[in-house]
Amino acid sequence: RVPASLWAQRGLRKLYLSGAGLREVPAELGALRHLRTLALDGNELMEVPEALCRLPRLAYLYLGRNGLQALPPAFARLQSLRCLWLEGNFLARFPRALLGLPDLRSLQLGDNRLARLPAGLPRMAALRGLWLYGNRFEEFPPVLLRMAHLRVLDLDRNRIARFPDLTCLAALRLLSYDHNPVRQPPGVGDEVRLVGEGAQEFMEARQERLQSLREEEEEEEEEEEEEGTEAPPAGPED
């Protein structure tokens, strides 16, 4: 049980109530309008508390490992949200309210029941990290090919048998595809670190190829420098 005196601390900026056995949160939570970090993970919440949607400065929210099946439309009021963890819930559909959060950079949706992503996902232009491991994707969501600013993408433990070429994701730096029935690593840019079956061999071969290219470029530069330092032919004598 949360002490009633806690809700009187109106200037509170961080509140950690992880694993507290909570089934509900009192309406007084909405009075903590300076709150920037709220951890409610590992509780027994079946719904997002209405009061939570009235926290205008909330930037970091942890709701993982509860019993959530959806997010309310009012969730879109959390316009300051930058990091949201919803792993280990029962979300079967991507929450539409998330599409209206312009500053969200990190979205953790692992271990839910998602099989599709909405066509409007690119509206989340600030998103840099997306964790979708342990869901029910049987195909690579094509809308992800339009997420040009994504840096981290985790699709571990799904049922994806084939990945498209992902070199179009120029900002991508980490792709995890482990425990999917793929036969070979996805095609990605040279800067991307891969995690999954065959990834180590792929990255070693890529490193050798890049090293070979660098050596060839260095040799060409040396040859050009040598040619430039050769003495010009002597002119005719008077």
Side-chain angles (χ1 to χ4, degrees):
R1 186 176 178 84
V2 181
S5 59
L6 178 66
W7 311 116
Q9 300 183 37
R10 301 299 172 86
L12 203 63
R13 294 172 62 86
K14 297 181 180 181
L15 179 57
Y16 298 93
L17 295 172
S18 305
L22 299 176
R23 295 185 177 180
E24 58 183 22
V25 177
E28 286 82 358
L29 173 66
L32 304 180
R33 299 181 65 82
H34 293 278
L35 208 61
R36 285 187 53 81
T37 300
L38 176 60
L40 289 169
D41 49 307
N43 282 288
E44 301 175 25
L45 301 175
M46 304 302 291
E47 297 179 347
V48 172
E50 181 183 350
L52 187 154
C53 300
R54 299 199 301 268
L55 299 174
R57 295 178 176 84
L58 194 62
Y60 304 92
L61 176 59
Y62 304 96
L63 288 169
R65 294 176 288 111
N66 278 284
L68 304 177
Q69 298 184 42
L71 300 183
F75 200 88
R77 298 175 188 164
L78 300 175
Q79 293 289 293
S80 297
L81 206 59
R82 294 173 60 86
C83 174
L84 175 62
W85 285 32
L86 286 164
E87 80 286 358
N89 280 285
F90 299 93
L91 300 173
R93 294 185 178 182
F94 188 92
R96 295 281 174 174
L98 300 182
L99 300 179
L101 300 179
D103 294 329
L104 193 65
R105 296 179 60 87
S106 178
L107 179 56
Q108 166 65 273
L109 286 168
D111 288 329
N112 276 281
R113 300 179 177 182
L114 301 174
R116 294 182 179 84
L117 295 178
L121 192 67
R123 286 163 50 188
M124 303 179 72
L127 199 62
R128 298 295 181 268
L130 180 58
W131 286 263
L132 296 168
Y133 60 83
N135 276 280
R136 299 182 179 180
F137 294 100
E138 296 186 357
E139 297 180 351
F140 181 87
V143 70
L144 290 176
L145 296 174
R146 295 160 51 203
M147 300 296 289
H149 301 293
L150 208 59
R151 294 182 61 85
V152 177
L153 177 58
D154 189 338
L155 285 162
D156 281 4
R157 292 190 286 111
N158 280 281
R159 306 169 189 172
I160 303 172
R162 190 176 68 85
F163 281 75
D165 185 275
L166 301 179
T167 53
C168 59
L169 299 179
L172 195 65
R173 292 297 177 268
L174 174 62
L175 172 66
S176 188
Y177 63 94
D178 211 8
H179 300 100
N180 280 282
V182 292
R183 296 184 178 180
Q184 61 185 19
V188 293
D190 290 335
E191 300 83 6
V192 181
R193 179 189 172 196
L194 292 172
V195 178
E197 182 70 27
Q200 187 63 35
E201 295 83 355
F202 176 86
M203 289 190 292
E204 288 176 356
R206 180 176 65 186
Q207 184 61 31
E208 291 179 3
R209 174 174 58 83
L210 293 175
Q211 181 63 30
S212 177
L213 287 174
R214 281 193 290 267
E215 291 175 355
E216 289 179 5
E217 290 176 356
E218 290 173 0
E219 289 177 1
E220 290 178 359
E221 289 178 1
E222 289 176 359
E223 290 176 359
E224 290 175 358
E225 289 176 359
E226 289 176 359
E227 291 175 358
T229 56
E230 289 181 358
E237 295 182 0
D238 293 337

